[in-house]
């Protein structure tokens, strides 16, 4: 994976500006000077509706021909984003396939579930608490916030925002099932190392909003690319854990809002980023 780097840049107590843009021109729905929360829509545009396709057989761990046995809804049923489409119970919890969009359960073919979206609007969210300082034409805005920034070495390509929860008290701790006990639902978890794909899927089942690890295996990174769960690696492939300065900074922010920015270009030196707004920032 050529995206992995040998170093990570950390900035603390800095003013951070980030551009949030649509893939094409649209409508800006906030004004310059306005304070925004991470989940607030800042711009939107119309897009051609494309089917949302989920690899249900892979997610459930069953043969493609068996997916229909685990459906929770009939074909043609209306669904909302987050609706459970299929589920398979396990010894602990269950594997779920959820709809990423509002729409209709269109069909199940070769173990894949197809959802036909009912909305043509693409909404762009702020993803970080801050202030709108300027527009980017009719495509988006630039948001300014104060806080800390950590450049990571790799991400799964999914953005995320939530409340940070440190899962262990040492930067080299390897995640075990015990770290996923208790109230982890709705939080972004941070831990030194993740070496079990089964635990990654367990975090998905529990409704974790994101995972930040210092190190992980190539197998888990490959699996994470097919998952809606945001996954970020701060140090690299292997078992070394998380660099102590990064772990300490995350520890200091435990319980606060955290934003995961993942659009980057390895060749251009752009990196995945973790942004920790100051504690006074509104996060939801």
């Amino acid at each position: 994976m050529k995206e992995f780097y040998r170093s990570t840049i950390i900035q603390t107590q800095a003013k951070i500006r980030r551009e949030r843009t649509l893939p094409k021109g649209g409508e800006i729905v906030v004004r310059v000077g306005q304070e925004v929360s991470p989940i607030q829509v800042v711009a939107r545009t119309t897009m051609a509706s494309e089917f949302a396709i989920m690899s249900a057989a892979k997610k459930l761990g069953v043969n493609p021909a068996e997916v229909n046995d685990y459906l929770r809804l009939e074909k043609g049923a209306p669904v909302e984003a987050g609706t459970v489409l299929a589920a398979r119970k396990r010894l602990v919890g269950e594997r779920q396939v959820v709809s990423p969009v509002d729409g209709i359960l269109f069909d199940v073919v070769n173990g894949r579930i197809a959802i036909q979206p009912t909305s043509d609007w693409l909404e762009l969210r702020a993803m970080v608490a801050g202030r709108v300082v300027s527009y980017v034409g009719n495509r988006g805005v630039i948001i300014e916030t104060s806080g800390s920034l950590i450049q990571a070495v790799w991400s799964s390509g999914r953005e995320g925002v939530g409340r940070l929860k440190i899962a262990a008290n040492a930067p080299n701790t390897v995640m075990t099932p015990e770290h996923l006990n208790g109230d982890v639902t709705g939080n972004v978890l941070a831990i030194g190392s993740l070496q079990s794909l089964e635990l990654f899927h367990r975090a998905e089942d529990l409704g974790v909003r994101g995972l930040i690890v210092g190190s992980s295996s190539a197998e888990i990174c490959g699996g994470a690319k097919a998952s809606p769960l945001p996954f970020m690696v701060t140090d690299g492939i292997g078992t070394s854990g998380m660099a102590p300065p990064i772990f300490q900074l995350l520890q200091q922010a435990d319980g606060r809002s955290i934003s995961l920015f993942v659009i980057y270009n390895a060749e251009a030196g752009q990196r995945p980023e973790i942004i920790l707004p100051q504690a006074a920032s509104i996060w939801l």
Side-chain angles (χ1 to χ4, degrees):
M1 293 185 179
K2 63 182 178 181
E3 290 89 350
F4 282 91
Y5 292 75
R6 294 182 179 274
S7 62
T8 295
I9 295 173
I10 305 171
Q11 292 180 321
T12 59
Q13 301 303 312
K15 283 205 175 289
I16 303 165
R17 289 191 175 189
R18 286 299 172 266
E19 184 176 285
R20 299 290 292 159
T21 56
L22 295 162
K24 66 172 188 174
E27 176 188 5
I28 310 299
V29 297
V30 292
R31 65 183 186 280
V32 171
Q34 182 175 340
E35 297 287 336
V36 294
S37 71
I39 63 171
Q40 188 167 345
V41 175
V42 295
R44 62 180 186 172
T45 190
T46 55
M47 299 291 288
S49 293
E50 296 182 356
F51 283 88
I53 309 294
M54 279 102 7
S55 181
K58 183 176 180 180
K59 181 65 185 295
L60 297 174
V62 300
N63 293 325
E66 298 176 311
V67 169
N68 282 295
D69 297 334
Y70 298 95
L71 286 179
R72 290 279 183 89
L73 302 169
E74 297 181 354
K75 295 178 185 179
V79 301
E80 297 179 349
T83 297
V84 177
L85 306 173
R88 179 191 176 199
K89 292 189 178 299
R90 304 167 60 210
L91 185 61
V92 179
E94 64 179 12
R95 291 274 183 90
Q96 295 182 339
V97 181
V98 301
S99 176
V101 296
D102 296 343
I104 295 171
L105 201 168
F106 183 77
D107 205 356
V108 181
V109 180
N110 296 327
R112 296 175 179 271
I113 298 177
I115 301 296
Q116 183 177 22
T118 54
S119 173
D120 292 331
W121 283 102
L122 171 65
E123 294 184 327
L124 180 71
R125 300 185 185 277
M127 290 304 297
V128 67
R131 182 173 59 90
V132 177
V133 294
S134 63
Y135 298 135
V136 183
N138 66 343
R139 291 186 56 199
V141 299
I142 294 176
I143 298 172
E144 181 180 88
T145 189
S146 296
S148 301
L149 180 145
I150 300 168
Q151 284 191 335
V153 296
W154 186 85
S155 83
S156 61
R158 300 285 191 275
E159 294 181 327
V161 63
R163 196 177 298 279
L164 176 63
K165 182 178 179 64
I166 305 300
N169 57 9
N172 60 350
T173 301
V174 179
M175 182 179 282
T176 65
E178 288 71 26
H179 294 119
L180 293 177
N181 291 334
D183 187 15
V184 298
T185 301
N187 291 312
V188 176
L189 299 187
I191 196 165
S193 181
L194 175 63
Q195 302 299 320
S196 167
L197 187 57
E198 182 72 15
L199 287 180
F200 177 87
H201 289 312
R202 173 68 174 147
E204 285 182 298
D205 296 341
L206 291 172
V208 170
R209 286 196 180 183
L211 273 174
I212 302 170
V213 302
S215 61
S216 188
S217 69
E219 177 192 19
I220 295 172
C221 291
K225 280 194 170 184
S227 168
L229 176 64
F231 182 60
M232 194 167 284
V233 180
T234 62
D235 291 71
I237 289 288
T239 59
S240 59
M242 187 177 291
I246 296 175
F247 185 78
Q248 291 166 11
L249 184 57
L250 292 174
Q251 267 192 320
Q252 293 167 9
D254 191 24
R256 284 169 42 195
S257 170
I258 186 168
S259 299
L260 308 181
F261 284 78
V262 298
I263 298 175
Y264 67 103
N265 184 320
E267 286 74 15
Q270 295 174 331
R271 306 275 294 274
E273 296 176 332
I274 300 166
I275 294 180
L276 298 158
Q278 289 181 348
S281 297
I282 298 172
W283 77 281
L284 277 180

